Each structure stands twice: as C-alpha cells, then as structure tokens.
Amino acid sequence: MTIQVGDRLPQATFRVMTADGPVARTTDDIFRERKVVLVAVPGAFTPTCDRNHLPGYVTNAEVIRARGIDAIVVTAVNDVFVLDAWSKASGAGEEGIEFLADGNGGFAWALGLTYEGVANGLGTRSQRYSMIVEDGVVRVLNIEDAPSKADISGADNLLRTMGAVLP
C-alpha cells in the first residue's frame, strides 16, 4: 500500500556522506521534530532528475526554508558515493540540501513507491515524488505520474501547495 497524507513515515536506515565517510542515519534522525521537504528521484545523474527535478530545489532552497522548512533532503536508490558526487556536481550540497542513500530500496519499498526500471537497465528504483513531512508525518504528497516528468513533484508545484499546510 502506498503511503498517504497523514501517515507516519516507516522506519528506515539511510547512508549519508560526512567528512569522516559514510554513516547511517535513521528516519527518526532526519524527520523527528522537524519540518522537512523530502524529494525522491529514480536515479542520480539521470536526465530528468539532473536537469529538470533537482535544479528547482537548488534554485528555490532559500525560499523553501523561509516558509518554515528545516531541511530539504533528496533520496534515491543509489549508493552513498554516487549521491555524494551528485550533491557536489549539482551544487545542491552548497545550498545545504542533504542526500539520503536508499541503496537497497528499503525505504522506497516501505513507502509503496517503487518504480520498476528493469526495462531501462535501472532495476528497482524509487518513484519520483516530493513530500512535506512534519515530525515524521506526511503533510503533503506529490507523486509524479511518469518517471520522465518532474512537474507534480517539482519545486514550483511544492511551493504552490505549501501555503495550504504551512503558516
């Protein structure tokens, strides 16, 4: 079953890159007592993710945070090294956007938001979506209807929907 607005995020463990190398961070570490924009992409460096989806969040990071958001985080079914390289190459890390490696897809599976990219040589990945999560509870959920689109889950649409749930 797919996660819905009002549901609590499932427990998961991600890998994040630090100055000391990869470390594990749990759902609670990231979302507890915080308002977080969570963005999921099928794959780092893939055309739609790299050119159309992530750039909107990089450009609008300051505006999003000014609306009361504590953190912007991006997740993908990629390893922590790939996400670290993407963070640096995209400039997202410089804007304070965090990257969560869901290397085995456990978080995507637990949300019910997997995408089967086998036909394209990608294996099982995450669907493309954006969420606003408050203290671990989904307040806004924007799921893209096709992996090659970044309209419903893009930063512009998220900013439009923020007014309905945030002061």
Side-chain angles (χ1 to χ4, degrees), residues 118-132:
V118 173
N120 297 315
L122 298 173
T124 301
R125 299 293 183 111
S126 175
Q127 286 185 21
R128 185 182 311 283
Y129 62 83
S130 63
M131 295 183 185
I132 297 175

Side-chain angles (χ1 to χ4, degrees), residues 51-73:
R51 294 184 205 138
N52 302 335
H53 203 192
L54 182 60
Y57 287 95
V58 173
T59 300
N60 289 293
E62 190 173 311
V63 173
I64 291 168
R65 285 191 195 93
R67 304 280 299 271
I69 297 297
D70 298 308
I72 302 167
V73 299

